[in-house]
Amino acid sequence: SETVIDISELEENHKKIEKECQQSVAEYEAAKQELEILKKEQDPILAQIDEKRKVSSKILHEIEKLEDELNKINKNVGLLVGKINSGNTFLKKFDEKIEELNRKIVVYEEQIQSDTAKASQICPRIEPTKSASRLDKDIALYEKRIREEQKGKRSIQQITQLYWTSKQSYKEAFQFINKLTEFCGRIEKNLVLRAKMWSQFRTSIEKRTKMLFNVYLSQKGFAGNMIFDHDKQTIDIFVQLDKLDVGSQHTAMQNTKALSGGERSFSTVSLLLALWEAMECPFRAMDEFDVFMDAVNRKISIELLLKCAKQNKNRQFIFITPHDYSQIATGEGVKIFKLQPPERGSQRTIEETINN
């Protein structure tokens, strides 16, 4: 007979097991994905934990440093407290010494009063004319002499020798003082003489300068006067216009401030020429001396300057002017240097010239 096996139950169990396996695989995959997510979330948390650990280690290190500094401060405080205690002890001893000195002062004052009363019985009190330090030195010197006298008196020969030596020293000193007094007298006389000569020399220069000032002004028919105040070190200048015209309104002396530009410039040139005669400078220069002069004043001034320059060949004269003097004849000792005028638009400032 054939045996019939029923496998339906086995197939059903097999299906059930396969379903459970699939479910387990699905759960495993889900768990695996969740684990990956947790790992990803774990990395920043671990990084934060490491950062917090580093910060906490720094804080602990700072706390240790602060504890060390606190220990040092406590140690210094202990030292300062010790010094304060020592200072208090020293002040206490110092106060004790002050009290002791005050007691001694009282004793000394009482002793001085007693000695003064005893001395007053012998002679009245004499007010000292020397300082205390000087008196102490004199007392020490006298005490030394007394000790020397007590050790043994000098012999007549020693006293005689000391007398003649002292007399000779006195004689030499007296002669030296007389010579010195005579020398000082000669020096004083020489100083007075030199001051007198210097005053005469200054007066001579003053008169000569006034004379030359008038000479140079007379080239244009002017006259002038100069008032020297040697104490204030000033010169007041006055100019008289048309000195030969008695009826002119300009005959009175005028201060240079009241003159016109050309008249003031010509007066200035005359003043400089007069002052130059009292100077030994080898170089003499004028810059734009004729800017405010008219043609007549300019011609007279340049002729006067050239004449003065030719008369002083041992000195060099330099005249700078914006005007054209090409008509002046050049020759021995006279040279004219003319600069080219600047082109329009090509002028530059000093800073531009330096930078370029």
Side-chain angles (χ1 to χ4, degrees):
S1 62
E2 295 180 357
T3 303
V4 179
I5 300 172
D6 189 6
I7 63 172
S8 59
E9 184 176 356
L10 293 174
E11 288 177 351
E12 186 176 349
N13 290 332
H14 177 70
K15 291 179 180 179
K16 185 177 181 180
I17 291 169
E18 283 182 351
K19 186 177 181 180
E20 290 176 354
C21 288
Q22 290 177 358
Q23 187 176 358
S24 299
V25 170
E27 291 176 354
Y28 170 77
E29 291 295 333
K32 187 176 180 181
Q33 291 179 0
E34 185 176 359
L35 180 62
E36 292 294 330
I37 294 171
L38 291 174
K39 285 182 178 181
K40 291 180 180 180
E41 294 177 352
Q42 182 184 10
D43 291 336
I45 295 173
L46 292 175
Q48 291 180 1
I49 291 172
D50 291 336
E51 186 67 26
K52 297 294 183 182
R53 286 176 179 174
K54 292 180 181 179
V55 173
S56 62
S57 62
K58 289 182 179 180
I59 293 172
L60 291 174
H61 182 66
E62 294 293 332
I63 292 172
E64 291 176 356
K65 288 175 64 177
L66 293 173
E67 288 178 351
D68 293 337
E69 291 180 0
L70 182 61
N71 293 330
K72 291 180 181 179
I73 292 171
N74 291 330
K75 186 177 180 181
N76 291 332
V77 169
L79 293 174
L80 291 175
V81 171
K83 289 182 179 179
I84 291 171
N85 294 330
S86 299
N88 291 330
T89 304
F90 176 78
L91 289 175
K92 185 177 180 181
K93 293 180 179 180
F94 189 76
D95 292 334
E96 293 174 356
K97 288 183 179 180
I98 290 174
E99 292 177 359
E100 182 180 357
L101 290 174
N102 289 330
R103 290 194 295 271
K104 289 183 178 181
I105 288 171
V106 174
V107 174
Y108 289 150
E109 287 178 350
E110 293 175 355
Q111 185 177 355
I112 289 170
Q113 291 177 359
S114 176
D115 293 338
T116 303
K118 292 178 181 179
S120 299
Q121 296 176 0
I122 300 173
C123 66
R125 179 179 177 85
I126 300 174
E127 295 296 332
T129 58
K130 299 180 181 179
S131 62
S133 59
R134 182 61 184 174
L135 291 173
D136 291 336
K137 291 180 181 180
D138 291 342
I139 291 171
L141 179 62
Y142 294 145
E143 289 177 348
K144 182 179 179 181
R145 290 182 179 177
I146 291 171
R147 287 194 298 269
E148 290 178 353
E149 290 295 332
Q150 290 176 350
K151 290 180 181 178
K153 295 183 178 180
R154 297 178 182 178
S155 62
I156 297 176
Q157 291 80 5
Q158 291 176 341
I159 295 174
T160 304
Q161 182 66 30
L162 179 61
Y163 167 75
W164 288 111
T165 303
S166 301
K167 186 176 182 180
Q168 183 65 25
S169 299
Y170 171 77
K171 183 178 180 181
E172 292 176 356
F174 185 76
Q175 291 176 353
F176 177 74
I177 290 173
N178 288 335
K179 290 181 180 179
L180 189 61
T181 303
E182 183 182 354
F183 179 70
C184 290
R186 291 200 303 268
I187 289 178
E188 186 175 359
K189 289 181 181 178
N190 288 332
L191 286 175
V192 172
L193 180 61
R194 291 183 65 180
K196 183 178 179 181
M197 293 177 63
W198 175 78
S199 179
Q200 292 175 353
F201 179 69
R202 185 177 65 181
T203 303
S204 175
I205 292 178
E206 179 180 340
K207 292 180 179 179
R208 187 164 180 264
T209 304
K210 288 181 179 180
M211 180 193 69
L212 291 174
F213 182 56
N214 271 288
V215 170
Y216 292 129
L217 286 177
S218 65
Q219 301 293 322
K220 197 174 182 298
F222 293 172
N225 187 26
M226 304 170 66
I227 299 176
F228 291 81
D229 190 337
H230 300 290
D231 295 330
K232 297 181 180 179
Q233 297 183 353
T234 59
I235 302 177
D236 293 328
I237 302 171
F238 298 92
V239 177
Q240 177 182 354
L241 306 179
D242 301 329
K243 68 174 183 177
L244 299 179
D245 188 359
V246 180
S248 176
Q249 61 180 352
H250 299 294
T251 55
M253 288 286 181
Q254 301 182 45
N255 191 285
T256 54
K257 295 180 180 180
L259 301 177
S260 64
E263 292 169 347
R264 190 185 303 116
S265 298
F266 181 78
S267 300
T268 303
V269 171
S270 301
L271 172 65
L272 290 177
L273 288 174
L275 291 176
W276 279 350
E277 294 298 327
M279 301 177 184
E280 294 298 329
C281 179
F283 298 98
R284 299 175 180 181
M286 283 189 182
D287 183 17
E288 296 186 353
F289 60 93
D290 55 351
V291 172
F292 300 103
M293 293 184 183
D294 54 17
V296 176
N297 286 328
R298 191 179 302 118
K299 181 180 179 182
I300 296 174
S301 297
I302 195 64
E303 289 177 353
L304 185 61
L305 290 172
L306 290 176
K307 180 180 178 181
C308 181
K310 291 178 180 179
Q311 291 175 352
N312 295 270
K313 295 184 178 180
N314 56 339
R315 294 180 175 85
Q316 184 175 2
F317 290 78
I318 302 172
F319 305 121
I320 303 173
T321 174
H323 295 288
D324 184 13
Y325 284 101
S326 57
Q327 72 278 7
I328 296 177
T330 58
E332 182 181 0
V334 179
K335 293 184 180 180
I336 298 177
F337 299 92
K338 185 176 181 181
L339 301 179
Q340 294 296 330
E343 298 179 1
R344 291 186 177 274
S346 63
Q347 296 181 356
R348 295 183 297 179
T349 62
I350 296 176
E351 293 181 355
E352 292 174 347
T353 304
I354 295 174
N355 292 331
N356 293 333

